[in-house]
Amino acid sequence: MSGGQGGMGTDRGVREQAAPPRSPVPAIVAVVAVVMAALVGLFLWGMSSDSDSGPDSAAQFEDDSAPSLAGTTASGEPFDLADESGKWVLVNFFATWCPPCVAEHPELVEFAARNGDTATVVSVAFDEPPEVIEAFFEANGGDWPVLADAEGIPLDWGVIKLPESYLVSPDGVVVQKLEGGITAAEIEELIAERSAGGDPG
């Protein structure tokens, strides 16, 4: 009898020592991995500008007055696009962490150096602290205004992906939207055609 009771006690002990509940950590990790993969995919899609580089017509802006563009630069100075009336302005949307933007930057430096009397560049940085922006320009050249408080500006301008630029005429009209990396020569050609009354198409 005692042996039977001992066996029953053993069985009861086994049941009482059943495996603990499964941890939710693996499931959480899996969900996070899926979300991160989706975000990386969206990022790569947005940044894949090789096939879309060069001029691209933008019906919603082309030949219309430029949207408002005002704010504080990375160096703490106020900037307003309206104050640049009389000059060609290249409004460039970029980020220091964007490889195509970094590759494009020397062309902007060259364009600004060659056309300082008649044109200027203004950059709008995406969600980066002023000290990071200033360090990037110190290392890579360029002394034009860079807006650091970009909240709402990309949406106003219809920015889709980086880099993206808009060429604004001396009378404040957006004459061309440019998606992807651009060169100094391309910008100068657009300015020459528009100055002569042509249409780059």
Side-chain angles (χ1 to χ4, degrees):
M1 191 71 174
S2 59
Q5 290 177 347
M8 291 178 62
T10 301
D11 292 342
R12 188 182 304 114
V14 171
R15 288 195 297 270
E16 289 174 353
Q17 295 176 11
R22 292 167 58 184
S23 171
V25 172
I28 294 174
V29 171
V31 171
V32 171
V34 171
V35 172
M36 290 301 295
L39 290 175
V40 169
L42 287 173
F43 172 80
L44 293 176
W45 174 82
M47 299 308 301
S48 61
S49 54
D50 289 344
S51 62
D52 298 319
S53 60
D56 177 70
S57 62
Q60 71 271 35
F61 285 115
E62 194 170 304
D63 295 325
D64 287 340
S65 296
S68 174
L69 180 61
T72 303
T73 68
S75 60
E77 301 295 323
F79 175 86
D80 192 331
L81 180 62
D83 296 335
E84 302 300 318
S85 178
K87 275 190 169 186
W88 289 92
V89 180
L90 184 74
V91 180
N92 173 251
F93 291 86
F94 88 112
T96 64
W97 43 260
C98 158
C101 302
V102 175
E104 172 190 65
H105 190 78
E107 293 291 337
L108 302 183
V109 173
E110 183 176 346
F111 170 77
R114 291 204 306 236
N115 300 274
D117 293 337
T118 58
T120 189
V121 178
V122 57
S123 291
V124 181
F126 264 63
D127 194 25
E128 295 188 271
E131 57 269 22
V132 172
I133 299 169
E134 292 195 297
F136 175 84
F137 273 76
E138 183 176 349
N140 296 279
D143 59 357
W144 55 83
V146 186
L147 296 187
D149 57 343
E151 185 176 357
I153 295 176
L155 182 61
D156 292 341
W157 283 73
V159 175
I160 299 174
K161 57 187 174 182
L162 303 178
E164 197 162 290
S165 300
Y166 295 80
L167 183 61
V168 181
S169 69
D171 57 354
V173 172
V174 175
V175 299
Q176 192 75 32
K177 174 183 178 179
L178 304 109
E179 294 182 353
I182 54 177
T183 67
E186 287 173 341
I187 306 167
E188 291 166 346
E189 183 178 354
L190 286 172
I191 290 176
E193 290 175 340
R194 285 292 184 157
S195 297
D199 185 351

